[in-house]
């Protein structure tokens, strides 16, 4: 979906499809250099990271294993409950593997902090995080993120996997959602 189709729902477009693809290619190059000669398992966090994960995997010029997790700390509300639940666990044993968690956005850091701790308890060689977007002003829990596409303000953003009420995920750009949509 093009942003022109939802222009009344957006305050502004932060990043275009072209900018996003260029940033993902840059991240892939850095990751490839850092993991040269090492087997890499990339773990996408469902559902939001689907676009980032797919494009990142396609940008690599090497083999990588891929797996998925689904975790939630929200239940049916709009605020975090603080209790993280695994909805879909990995199918892959991470023992001795280099694991790169791929997410589309990091805001509070609560879920990813819990998740990295959980993965580290499984005996991997390493666990690192890659994200396309990070909201430093929203962070409540310190989370070390090795690969960051962009730092953004603490605004409600949609597109490229980011949603509001399961809509806008297939928007090719990333934009700030207008308050009239979610108020």
């Amino acid at each position: 979906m093009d942003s022109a189709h939802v222009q009344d729902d957006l305050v502004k477009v932060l990043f275009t499809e072209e900018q996003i693809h260029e940033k993902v290619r840059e991240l892939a190059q850095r990751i490839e250099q850092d993991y040269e000669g090492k087997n890499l398992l990339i773990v996408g966090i469902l559902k939001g990271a689907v676009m980032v994960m797919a494009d990142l995997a396609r940008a690599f010029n090497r083999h990588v294993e891929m797996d998925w997790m689904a975790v939630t700390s929200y239940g049916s509300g709009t605020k975090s409950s603080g209790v993280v639940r695994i909805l879909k666990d990995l199918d892959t044993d991470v023992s001795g593997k280099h694991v790169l968690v791929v997410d589309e956005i990091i805001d509070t850091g609560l879920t990813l902090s819990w998740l990295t701790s959980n993965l580290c308890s499984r005996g991997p060689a390493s666990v690192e995080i890659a994200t396309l977007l990070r909201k430093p002003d929203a962070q409540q829990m310190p989370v070390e993120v090795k690969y960051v596409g962009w730092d953004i303000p603490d605004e409600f953003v949609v597109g490229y996997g980011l949603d509001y009420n399961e809509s806008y995920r297939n928007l090719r750009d990333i934009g700030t959602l207008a308050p009239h949509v979610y108020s």
Side-chain angles (χ1 to χ4, degrees), residues 19 82 162 171:
Q19 290 171 309
L162 296 153
L171 179 62

Side-chain angles (χ1 to χ4, degrees), residues 5-23:
H5 292 102
V6 291
Q7 66 186 9
D8 292 340
D9 294 352
L10 301 177
V11 174
K12 63 184 170 193
V13 171
L14 294 173
F15 305 107
T16 66
E17 179 179 18
E18 294 77 22
Q19 290 171 309
I20 295 165
H21 288 292
E22 179 58 33
K23 185 60 72 174

